[in-house]
Amino acid sequence: MGEMGMELVKLLLLLGLAEAAVEAEVPRDSLQEELLLSPLPSGDLSATFQFRTRWDSDLQREGVSHYRLFPKALGQLISKYSVCELHLSLTQGFWRTRSWGQPSLQAPAGAELWVWFQDSVSDVDKAWKDLSNILSGIFCASLNFIDSTNTVTPTASFKPLGLANVTDHRFLRYAALPREVVCTENLTPWKKLLPCSSKAGLAVLLKAERLFHSSYHSQAVHVPSWWFSQRSEKKYPQFIIFKTDASCLSVSWELRQTLTVVFDSFASGHGKKDWSLFKIFSRTLTEACPLSSQSKVYVDISSRGQEKELLDVSPAPLSIHEAVVQGDRRTYAVYDLLNPALFNGSRSLNVQLKWKRPQDGLDLPAPVLHAQRYVSGYGLQTGEISTLVYNTHPYRAFPVLLLETVPWYLRLYIHTLSIITKGKENKPSYIHYQPAQDRRQPHLLEMLIQLPANSVTKITIQFERALLKWTEYTPDPNHGFYVSSSVLSSLVPSIIAMKEEEEDLSPLFTSLFPSSDGSSYFVRLYTEPLLVNLPTPDFSMPYNVICLTCTVVAVCYGSFYNLLTRTFQIEEPNRGGLAKRLANIIRKIRGVPPL
């Protein structure tokens, strides 16, 4: 064997050892998927999907070139623009809190995007603009319309969930597009981010024609970074627990893809309030995603204050789990797709829900915290925005942080701000107002308001409508202009305390908003988006002027120009051809005058 052969053998041995080392290395990423089915008292059904992809790697410092489960498109985006946290939601419809109860994770109508950047970013506005444009291409959404006119920098709201700097809000950007319409073009790229796409696991139920035939549809992407302890799998959000011992902590990135859909029994044409997976999604579950380490289906079978159970679930669940979720004790039937005993009887899982007795007379208790907003006034010059915030807790008062974002063409009169609770003035303990600049930035108003127990707080502020340039109107100006939803953030006191061991076993895990103790839970609510009419000129007048001008030009100038440029020539009479001469000969023979 020559020297060339020896070198080739050494190279093959090195490649074999490297491949064996890669195979022996424990994967640092994992996938967990789950589905939560919650029958609502109105007869509707809420289905919440959550796919969590965790990666024990610091994308900001390590030169990552190989992606296994974590989507490469988002990983490169995070690394290039030094993103600490990214939260994007696309929602069609509005969550009816009074009828459906408190949602697991609410989002405003339209598109919402808020991002925390690292403190090493020199030009945050440029990074924000480039990031929104790239996300617009990834998710086929109109995020490229995010600019300075609808972007704000909150000073107290939207605290980071992970490693971002909680004190310097200069690296935070928030924007909302309430007019954004969600369709299949947004769902398809969202599903492609999943490791199994829609080929296996719970994602096989994501059939577009069924998901969009619903009353509410909300898909979201959340990418926070966490501190994870090397001794345990417990995560530590920075805004709750601060750790200084760096030797026992490691950085992990987590991608959460959530999808919430509310199916209407009457709109679907079923006519009954009994449900099954096949009736909802036109498909059943056959297996878990091969790449997932956890795949479960939770069914909410809580009695909701009744003495007897209301729901009958089949097939019989392998386990029952009780947990305190958002201050209320819930009972869940759990189906573990990774358990081989689940598919012993059949090759597919079709969970069926049947009501044991009519539930039309059930009264849903009002959520502890909920709000609504509307526009009042008459005419097209002035108006008033009113927000009603309800605290239905019988004996506990708590503060709520309110964020208002109003476009520049609604000129707020901040001196007319009024906060009334139980007939008395309620002064906020913190207030931040950033006035708008015409065609540059919107109004930003943040207030920390104390809500007394069992009270209704009314917040009103007057505004004046501005006159836009004729090129600034939308193609359908008479439809109106949208104002983004108000954001309410609060730690709501819980009557029933949650134990720490219940958090890890509860559906949706500890959710995106864990609490330092079980005495309260974090809630972020959104009010309805507003539709405001602005003074609209008669757009038919320019059309009439254009038509009249074109007519004058065509008739007057055209005729005058034709007379000046036309040439006249004398045409000699033609004696005719052979046919005419033959006709004259025949007419002469007959004694008729020639032609």
Side-chain angles (χ1 to χ4, degrees):
M1 184 180 295
E3 185 178 355
M4 182 73 70
M6 293 294 296
E7 294 293 333
L8 182 60
V9 171
K10 291 180 180 180
L11 180 60
L12 292 176
L13 288 176
L14 290 176
L15 291 177
L17 291 175
E19 184 177 358
V22 171
E23 293 179 355
E25 183 183 357
V26 178
R28 297 189 301 172
D29 51 1
S30 61
L31 170 66
Q32 296 176 329
E33 59 178 7
E34 62 183 359
L35 168 62
L36 174 62
L37 299 175
S38 300
L40 304 177
S42 60
D44 304 331
L45 182 71
S46 171
T48 303
F49 294 84
Q50 180 174 241
F51 304 90
R52 290 205 322 172
T53 304
R54 172 189 161 185
W55 194 5
D56 298 338
S57 174
D58 192 355
L59 297 177
Q60 306 291 352
R61 298 180 180 179
E62 300 179 7
V64 179
S65 59
H66 176 69
Y67 291 82
R68 196 177 80 98
L69 299 180
F70 203 91
K72 186 176 182 180
L74 294 182
Q76 292 180 340
L77 195 67
I78 292 171
S79 177
K80 181 178 180 180
Y81 292 99
S82 300
V83 175
C84 283
E85 284 193 27
L86 186 149
H87 302 268
L88 171 64
S89 65
L90 300 172
T91 306
Q92 186 72 25
F94 179 73
W95 183 273
R96 305 168 188 173
T97 308
R98 297 294 300 271
S99 302
W100 297 341
Q102 187 66 43
S104 302
L105 184 63
Q106 190 180 1
E112 181 194 42
L113 176 64
W114 58 283
V115 179
W116 277 93
F117 294 93
Q118 283 190 348
D119 52 5
S120 59
V121 179
S122 58
D123 193 349
V124 180
D125 292 331
K126 184 179 184 303
W128 166 256
K129 182 178 180 181
D130 296 341
L131 181 66
S132 59
N133 288 331
I134 294 177
L135 291 175
S136 175
I138 293 177
F139 294 98
C140 297
S142 302
L143 301 178
N144 55 313
F145 285 94
I146 294 178
D147 52 15
S148 61
T149 60
N150 48 35
T151 300
V152 294
T153 303
T155 60
S157 304
F158 297 100
K159 293 291 185 180
L161 305 182
L163 307 182
N165 189 348
V166 297
T167 58
D168 196 348
H169 283 74
R170 296 179 302 167
F171 301 99
L172 170 64
R173 293 295 183 272
Y174 172 83
L177 299 176
R179 196 170 181 172
E180 179 70 13
V181 178
V182 186
C183 60
T184 310
E185 294 181 354
N186 310 121
L187 180 63
T188 301
W190 185 89
K191 293 191 295 185
K192 289 183 178 179
L193 298 178
L194 299 174
C196 292
S197 185
S198 58
K199 306 299 181 182
L202 299 178
V204 299
L205 302 177
L206 303 179
K207 192 175 181 181
E209 63 182 30
R210 302 296 301 173
L211 296 180
F212 288 99
H213 191 67
S214 57
S215 302
Y216 178 81
H217 175 96
S218 177
Q219 61 187 59
V221 173
H222 305 279
V223 188
S225 56
W226 305 93
W227 286 115
F228 273 86
S229 173
Q230 296 178 354
R231 302 173 184 174
S232 64
E233 295 299 322
K234 187 66 177 177
K235 66 184 178 183
Y236 298 101
Q238 183 177 342
F239 76 99
I240 293 176
I241 301 176
F242 292 85
K243 293 291 182 179
T244 58
D245 187 6
S247 61
C248 65
L249 295 177
S250 62
V251 178
S252 295
W253 286 88
E254 184 180 75
L255 168 63
R256 289 201 181 199
Q257 294 180 244
T258 61
L259 175 65
T260 303
V261 186
V262 176
F263 296 95
D264 190 350
S265 59
F266 300 99
S268 59
H270 294 161
K272 296 182 179 181
K273 297 183 179 181
D274 298 338
W275 293 94
S276 67
L277 288 181
F278 186 77
K279 287 182 179 180
I280 300 171
F281 303 103
S282 298
R283 294 177 182 177
T284 58
L285 296 174
T286 57
E287 61 176 351
C289 177
L291 300 175
S292 62
S293 60
Q294 178 177 328
S295 181
K296 293 183 179 181
V297 177
Y298 294 87
V299 182
D300 190 352
I301 57 175
S302 306
S303 58
R304 300 183 182 276
Q306 303 295 320
E307 297 180 357
K308 299 181 180 180
E309 295 182 356
L310 299 176
L311 286 173
D312 185 14
V313 183
S314 61
L318 300 180
S319 62
I320 300 293
H321 175 67
E322 292 186 0
V324 178
V325 179
Q326 295 178 341
D328 187 15
R329 182 164 294 278
R330 302 289 180 86
T331 304
Y332 298 98
V334 184
Y335 299 88
D336 190 356
L337 300 183
L338 296 179
N339 190 348
L342 185 62
F343 297 100
N344 282 343
S346 61
R347 296 182 179 179
S348 64
L349 175 63
N350 183 24
V351 181
Q352 299 182 4
L353 299 88
K354 295 183 179 180
W355 291 87
K356 294 183 178 180
R357 61 181 186 273
Q359 72 283 7
D360 296 335
L362 294 181
D363 294 330
L364 177 66
V368 177
L369 175 65
H370 61 278
Q372 62 182 18
R373 190 171 62 150
Y374 58 90
V375 177
S376 58
Y378 57 91
L380 292 178
Q381 182 179 1
T382 60
E384 186 178 74
I385 298 178
S386 300
T387 305
L388 299 178
V389 184
Y390 296 84
N391 175 17
T392 61
H393 200 285
Y395 56 88
R396 288 287 298 274
F398 55 87
V400 63
L401 183 62
L402 176 65
L403 171 68
E404 289 274 4
T405 305
V406 182
W408 62 268
Y409 44 77
L410 298 182
R411 295 168 178 167
L412 297 181
Y413 294 149
I414 195 64
H415 69 279
T416 63
L417 177 63
S418 174
I419 305 175
I420 304 298
T421 304
K422 294 183 177 181
K424 299 180 180 180
E425 183 181 1
N426 188 348
K427 293 184 179 180
S429 57
Y430 171 79
I431 185 170
H432 170 74
Y433 174 67
Q434 180 180 348
Q437 297 181 10
D438 289 354
R439 300 172 181 85
R440 290 188 179 181
Q441 67 181 23
H443 300 271
L444 173 62
L445 178 62
E446 289 181 283
M447 296 181 294
L448 184 62
I449 306 172
Q450 185 74 13
L451 302 180
N454 196 16
S455 64
V456 180
T457 302
K458 185 176 182 180
I459 307 167
T460 60
I461 186 171
Q462 298 179 6
F463 65 88
E464 180 184 8
R465 297 172 171 86
L467 291 174
L468 303 180
K469 299 180 181 179
W470 71 276
T471 55
E472 296 174 344
Y473 285 92
T474 57
D476 52 348
N478 293 313
H479 177 74
F481 292 78
Y482 285 90
V483 180
S484 58
S485 305
S486 299
V487 186
L488 291 88
S489 306
S490 177
L491 280 174
V492 179
S494 176
I495 300 177
I496 306 175
M498 176 186 291
K499 300 179 181 179
E500 185 176 356
E501 58 270 12
E502 292 181 348
E503 296 182 359
D504 300 330
L505 300 176
S506 61
L508 301 180
F509 309 98
T510 56
S511 75
L512 273 176
F513 308 108
S515 179
S516 57
D517 55 1
S519 62
S520 61
Y521 57 94
F522 182 81
V523 172
R524 178 173 290 153
L525 296 179
Y526 296 88
T527 62
E528 305 91 339
L530 299 179
L531 187 61
V532 181
N533 290 325
L534 294 183
T536 305
D538 186 3
F539 286 99
S540 64
M541 290 304 296
Y543 174 78
N544 296 336
V545 172
I546 292 174
C547 292
L548 180 60
T549 304
C550 292
T551 303
V552 172
V553 171
V555 174
C556 300
Y557 178 77
S559 301
F560 185 70
Y561 180 81
N562 190 20
L563 291 175
L564 292 178
T565 57
R566 180 185 297 178
T567 57
F568 297 92
Q569 296 180 358
I570 300 176
E571 183 179 359
E572 295 182 359
N574 191 2
R575 295 182 179 180
L578 179 62
K580 186 176 181 179
R581 283 182 288 175
L582 290 176
N584 288 334
I585 293 174
I586 295 173
R587 295 172 69 86
K588 185 177 181 181
I589 294 173
R590 296 176 56 188
V592 180
L595 298 175

